[in-house]
Amino acid sequence: LQIPKNAKNILSKKSGYLVYTRGCHIPDLNPFDRHVKRFYHKESPINCSQNKPPNLVGSNLTALFIIRSALGFYNVSDVEKLQCCYQTFWRVNENKIKYSSDCQTFVKELHISEEFVKVKCSYEGLNIFTYYYAFTPLKKKVEERCQKKNIIPKEAVSLLVLGIDSVSRLNLYRQMPRTVALLKEIKATEISSVTHDYMNHAQQADQLCEDFIRSESNSYHFNKTVLVFLSDHGVRWGGIRQTFQGHLEERLPFLFFYFPKWFREKYSSALNNMRRNSRLLTTPFDLHETFKDLSNLRLIENDLIKKRSNELKTLATFPRGTSLFLPLDEGRTCSKAGIDPHWCTCLESHALATKSLKAQISAKVVIVHLNKLLKPYHACSSLRLSKILDASIKVPLLSQHKSHTIEDCVVVCHN
C-alpha cells in the first residue's frame, strides 16, 4: 500500500494485525507460517503444446480464421477439402448451456458477432479439430441505450476487473510474488480485508498476470483505466483448510486498485479515504458501491466527497454497503457490515497447547459427535482420537458480544 507521508486521517497499522479497530481485529498472518508451509511447493511449468498440435483455427477480437501454417499438423494437403463450421452457444442456467441448431460453415476467415462459439473442422469425412472461442462484440441494444440516455459523461474512465478464483490474499503473496511486486511498483492500493482444490496452481498465473498488467500499464488506454485485481475467496479444500490459518484464508480474498496519476491527484479526498479504509473491515458490498461511484466521477470530486462524508456522519447506522471512496466507520463489526458469524474473521486468536485439558475435551467432543453421525451407517468404523496436531482458541471481540462471552476451540486431529 502506497501511503504519502503527508496523508491525513490514515489509521496506523498495529503490529501483527491487518485490521485493528474497536470493532474488528484481523490478524496479519505469515504466508509461510510453519502450520501451512508444508502445503506449499513449486509447480512445474505448464506446457500447453506438449504432444498437441497448434490450433487449426485462430481468432482475434472480431473474427475466426484458418491458420495455414498448422495444416500440416492435421495432415491437410488440400485446403479446399477442409470443412469448418461454428455453432453459437449460451448459458441457460448455472449448470446448462444450449447450442444453436445449425453449424455455419466458413472458409479462410469469418467475422463473428456472437459472444461464444464452438468450432468444428473435418477433412475427408473425419473430425480433426474442435475448439471453443469467446468474443466481446459491441451489443447494438446496449449502445443505443447508452446513446439515448447519454449515460457516458465526457470525463469517464474504463473499469478493468481482473479476477482469480479461490486465491486468498496470503496465497497471492505465496504464489504470485512477481505480480504483487508489479502492483506495488505501479502504486496500486491494497484493500486488506475482503484455485479450488489446488493451492499451488496459482503459481502458473504469476508470469501471465505480470506480463498482462505490465503490458497494459504501458499502453495509452491505461491512462484512462481503473484496474481492479481481486479474488472471490481463498482455498476451500485440501490440507491447508484443516489449519486455523487456512480457515481464515478462506474468508480473506485479495483486492487491489490501480488509479492513473491524474486520477489520484484530481480525486485526492476520495483516494485518501480509500487508503484509510484499507485498515478497516470491508466487504464486497462496499466494492459494489465503489463501482457505482466510478460510473459517475462527479460523485467523487472533492466537494461532493466532503458533503457525502458529512451526510454519513448524521446517519444512525451505516448502510450495509458504503463506497470505499467515503470514510468507513472505525467501529464497524461483522454484524454491522452484514457478515454472518460463520464468515467473520474479527477474532482474537491464541495458541493452545495440544495436551491442554481444553484441547483434549474439545477433540473428544468432536469424535463423539462424528461417531453419532456415523452410527446409522454400519459399513463405517467408529472413529477414535489418535493425535491432536494443532489447537487454538478463537475469541470474538467483547464489543460484539456484550451480553456473553464465546470461546471457540479449534482442533486439528488425526484419527
Side-chain angles (χ1 to χ4, degrees), residues 19 36 38 44 50 85 110 115 122 128-129 132 156 171 179 195 203 218 266 279 298 319 324 336 356 358:
V19 174
V36 298
R38 65 183 184 273
S44 300
Q50 186 176 14
C85 66
L110 178 70
E115 288 185 273
S122 60
I128 59 172
F129 180 78
Y132 299 83
N171 208 28
T179 302
T195 357
Q203 292 172 32
N218 293 324
K266 182 171 182 178
R279 303 286 191 237
R298 172 69 184 117
L324 295 172
K336 290 180 179 179
S356 68
K358 282 185 178 180

Side-chain angles (χ1 to χ4, degrees), residues 335-358:
S335 177
K336 290 180 179 179
I339 303 172
D340 289 340
H342 177 73
W343 301 110
C344 183
T345 55
C346 295
L347 307 167
E348 290 281 22
S349 176
H350 308 285
L352 187 65
T354 56
K355 294 183 178 180
S356 68
L357 184 60
K358 282 185 178 180

Side-chain angles (χ1 to χ4, degrees), residues 41-47 200-201 203-204:
H41 63 265
K42 285 287 186 180
E43 289 278 338
S44 300
I46 294 177
N47 185 354
N200 294 290
H201 280 193
Q203 292 172 32
Q204 311 289 0

Side-chain angles (χ1 to χ4, degrees), residues 107-347:
V107 179
K108 296 182 180 179
E109 186 172 336
L110 178 70
H111 177 78
I112 298 294
S113 58
E114 289 83 7
E115 288 185 273
F116 306 105
V117 298
K118 174 184 178 181
V119 172
K120 296 185 293 184
C121 294
S122 60
Y123 184 69
E124 295 183 338
L126 295 176
N127 181 42
I128 59 172
F129 180 78
T130 301
Y131 207 71
Y132 299 83
Y133 300 82
F135 297 87
T136 53
L138 293 177
K139 297 182 179 180
K140 185 178 179 180
K141 290 183 178 179
V142 175
E143 295 300 308
E144 290 175 348
R145 187 169 71 246
C146 290
Q147 293 176 6
K148 183 178 179 180
K149 294 186 177 182
N150 193 27
I151 63 175
I152 301 179
K154 292 182 180 179
E155 184 172 81
V157 290
S158 297
L159 181 60
L160 174 60
V161 181
L162 180 60
I164 301 182
D165 185 25
S166 303
V167 177
S168 68
R169 173 183 174 272
L170 289 180
N171 208 28
L172 179 75
Y173 277 76
R174 273 187 219 106
Q175 312 291 352
M176 302 177 68
R178 298 172 65 98
T179 302
V180 172
L182 176 58
L183 289 166
K184 292 181 178 180
E185 179 185 320
I186 63 174
K187 295 181 171 60
T189 299
E190 180 184 3
I191 307 297
S192 298
S193 322
V194 276
T195 357
H196 284 300
D197 303 357
Y198 305 103
M199 183 185 87
N200 294 290
H201 280 193
Q203 292 172 32
Q204 311 289 0
D206 192 18
Q207 184 71 58
L208 290 172
C209 282
E210 184 203 14
D211 291 347
F212 174 76
I213 295 173
R214 190 177 296 281
S215 173
E216 289 299 308
S217 67
N218 293 324
S219 70
Y220 166 78
H221 299 290
F222 211 59
N223 194 46
K224 296 287 288 183
T225 299
V226 171
L227 169 67
V228 181
F229 185 42
L230 53 76
S231 63
D232 50 356
H233 52 75
V235 176
R236 288 182 166 174
W237 310 99
I240 190 173
R241 184 56 186 80
Q242 298 174 4
T243 67
F244 173 69
Q245 180 158 329
H247 172 86
L248 288 183
E249 284 196 37
E250 179 193 359
R251 292 152 171 79
L252 294 172
F254 66 83
L255 174 60
F256 286 84
F257 279 89
Y258 165 79
F259 302 98
K261 183 180 178 181
W262 67 266
F263 188 104
R264 298 195 299 269
E265 293 173 350
K266 182 171 182 178
Y267 305 107
S268 56
S269 294
L271 268 292
N272 275 344
N273 284 333
M274 177 172 281
R275 294 186 187 99
R276 174 185 176 278
N277 291 336
S278 70
R279 303 286 191 237
L280 300 176
L281 177 64
T282 59
T283 77
F285 296 104
D286 303 325
L287 181 61
H288 177 257
E289 296 299 320
T290 308
F291 283 177
K292 288 165 65 176
D293 276 357
L294 287 170
S295 69
N296 183 358
L297 298 184
R298 172 69 184 117
L299 293 173
I300 61 171
E301 290 182 358
N302 290 344
D303 60 331
L304 270 185
I305 285 294
K306 182 177 180 180
K307 179 183 177 182
R308 295 171 65 194
S309 299
N310 289 332
E311 289 173 350
L312 271 180
K313 294 176 184 177
T314 65
L315 300 177
T317 57
F318 265 62
R320 186 180 190 185
T322 302
S323 171
L324 295 172
F325 293 127
L326 298 173
L328 297 178
D329 178 15
E330 291 182 33
R332 197 182 207 190
T333 63
C334 285
S335 177
K336 290 180 179 179
I339 303 172
D340 289 340
H342 177 73
W343 301 110
C344 183
T345 55
C346 295
L347 307 167

Side-chain angles (χ1 to χ4, degrees), residues 374-404:
L374 293 173
K375 192 172 182 179
Y377 304 94
H378 302 294
C380 297
S381 301
S382 294
L383 303 177
R384 60 181 181 81
L385 179 63
S386 174
K387 185 179 181 181
I388 299 177
L389 303 177
D390 189 31
S392 60
I393 287 285
K394 294 191 302 177
V395 185
L397 296 183
L398 294 179
S399 59
Q400 299 186 51
H401 302 278
K402 293 181 179 179
S403 61
H404 59 281

Side-chain angles (χ1 to χ4, degrees), residues 74-103:
Y74 295 87
N75 298 318
V76 176
S77 56
D78 186 355
V79 70
E80 299 299 326
K81 294 181 180 180
L82 179 66
Q83 297 180 326
C84 293
C85 66
Y86 80 91
Q87 284 180 283
T88 303
F89 65 93
W90 57 93
R91 173 176 285 184
V92 178
N93 54 46
E94 187 175 351
N95 300 309
K96 184 179 180 182
I97 61 173
K98 187 175 181 179
Y99 291 90
S100 59
S101 57
D102 58 328
C103 194

